[in-house]
Amino acid sequence: MRNKVDLHVTLPPMKCGILIIGSLYWDDANGRADWRKDRLSTSASIPVRAPIYYGRKSRSRGDTYTMTFRGNDPSGVATLVPCLREIERIEDLKDEAAALWKAEAPQSRSGAIGSGWGCVGALLGSDEARESLGRAWNAHFRKIRGEGLSVVGPGGELDLAWPETVTGQPADMDIILATATLPEAEPPTAQTLADAWLGQNGGYERYFLENIRHGIRTVHDLEIWRCIEAGTPGWVETDGYREAVEVLRGEEQGR
């Protein structure tokens, strides 16, 4: 019989990072600024290739679309942010996962790592992380969550390739956590995405433009932008969006 995992054993320190694909990186509301300050080294963030697209319709954002993961198509650029604390016990990994979900869903109960629309998953990259934490993370995920979602498997593993930097180097981490969300059955077209932002007046276009400003990108961004600009929304000229709009217009003009 295999021995049970000792939750209290101290392991050699392992580097953990959060793969961020949207507003967790730039939104200060609902305690997210405190989460980043207390747990992340945002000054050490690095852009990495990731399989991301605008694929989840968000009711809380006026039925506009937010970022989600797709299968192995690393054509987008996400942000990998190192955690301030290294992982030495399974309890450390559980704490980081719970804190990540609390930043995603502030009203969630303590210790939760998911709900019906999303959940936290883990990539264990180093041999040491897989051997030391794999079974314990799997058992914790099955106990707390019970099922996978999107690119998170039933044991809490992220079904994603290990991220590479934009220069082609494997991300220098032992463990990566990310939130996967439930996508729409059919990926929306660029025009559908643009129409959703054009058809609301709640300021939810900020999601797209702040992602642009912070370097969180999809391969479809320029096509989406052309559809938005064709609709001539007044908010395009908002001062707070100037930087993102300049980036998009520069790309449109081939600069």
Side-chain angles (χ1 to χ4, degrees):
M1 179 181 294
R2 299 177 72 176
N3 294 329
K4 292 184 178 180
V5 176
D6 185 348
L7 299 182
H8 304 290
V9 66
T10 299
L11 306 167
M14 288 176 278
K15 291 182 287 187
C16 182
I18 310 297
L19 183 63
I20 300 180
I21 63 173
S23 56
L24 280 182
Y25 191 66
W26 46 259
D27 188 5
D28 290 341
N30 298 316
R32 289 179 173 182
D34 290 337
W35 169 70
R36 293 193 298 268
K37 178 177 178 291
D38 293 343
R39 290 193 170 268
L40 303 183
S41 178
T42 53
S43 62
S45 302
I46 56 172
V48 293
R49 297 291 179 187
I52 58 176
Y53 72 113
Y54 290 96
R56 176 180 176 263
K57 182 179 283 190
S58 175
R59 277 52 177 182
S60 65
R61 294 181 183 270
D63 284 341
T64 60
Y65 290 82
T66 57
M67 203 79 82
T68 191
F69 290 103
R70 67 165 86 239
N72 292 314
D73 173 27
S75 57
V77 179
T79 299
L80 182 60
V81 189
C83 296
L84 289 171
R85 299 170 184 82
E86 294 180 312
I87 302 299
E88 298 183 81
R89 304 177 305 143
I90 184 58
E91 294 298 324
D92 298 334
L93 182 57
K94 289 160 60 175
D95 286 347
E96 292 295 349
L100 170 56
W101 184 252
K102 196 69 171 178
E104 289 277 16
Q107 303 305 315
S108 62
R109 60 179 174 79
S110 178
I113 53 175
S115 70
W117 58 266
C119 69
V120 175
L123 272 175
L124 304 180
S126 67
D127 290 341
E128 191 159 45
R130 287 191 295 271
E131 293 170 5
S132 303
L133 299 172
R135 285 196 299 123
W137 169 252
N138 181 280
H140 173 67
F141 186 90
R142 290 178 184 275
K143 177 181 178 181
I144 300 299
R145 169 69 186 172
E147 60 182 354
L149 180 149
S150 183
V151 296
V152 179
E157 67 281 1
L158 281 166
D159 185 19
L160 299 172
W162 190 258
E164 293 185 347
T165 67
V166 293
T167 59
Q169 302 301 311
D172 184 21
M173 295 284 167
D174 297 295
I175 303 160
I176 292 174
L177 294 173
T179 302
T181 58
L182 190 63
E184 300 300 301
E186 292 293 329
T189 66
Q191 189 64 61
T192 298
L193 295 169
D195 286 346
W197 281 307
L198 290 168
Q200 54 80 42
N201 59 4
Y204 300 117
E205 71 281 348
R206 179 171 181 254
Y207 186 90
F208 174 66
L209 292 165
E210 289 290 350
N211 277 348
I212 298 294
R213 188 163 77 89
H214 289 91
I216 299 173
R217 304 298 305 271
T218 80
V219 71
H220 303 295
D221 286 351
L222 195 52
E223 185 182 1
I224 296 166
W225 166 246
R226 286 171 177 148
C227 294
I228 288 174
E229 197 165 35
T232 62
W235 44 256
V236 164
E237 304 304 329
T238 301
D239 284 347
Y241 296 156
R242 182 176 293 117
E243 185 178 345
V245 169
E246 287 178 354
V247 167
L248 290 162
R249 286 177 173 164
E251 292 177 1
E252 195 172 24
Q253 295 167 12
R255 295 200 303 265

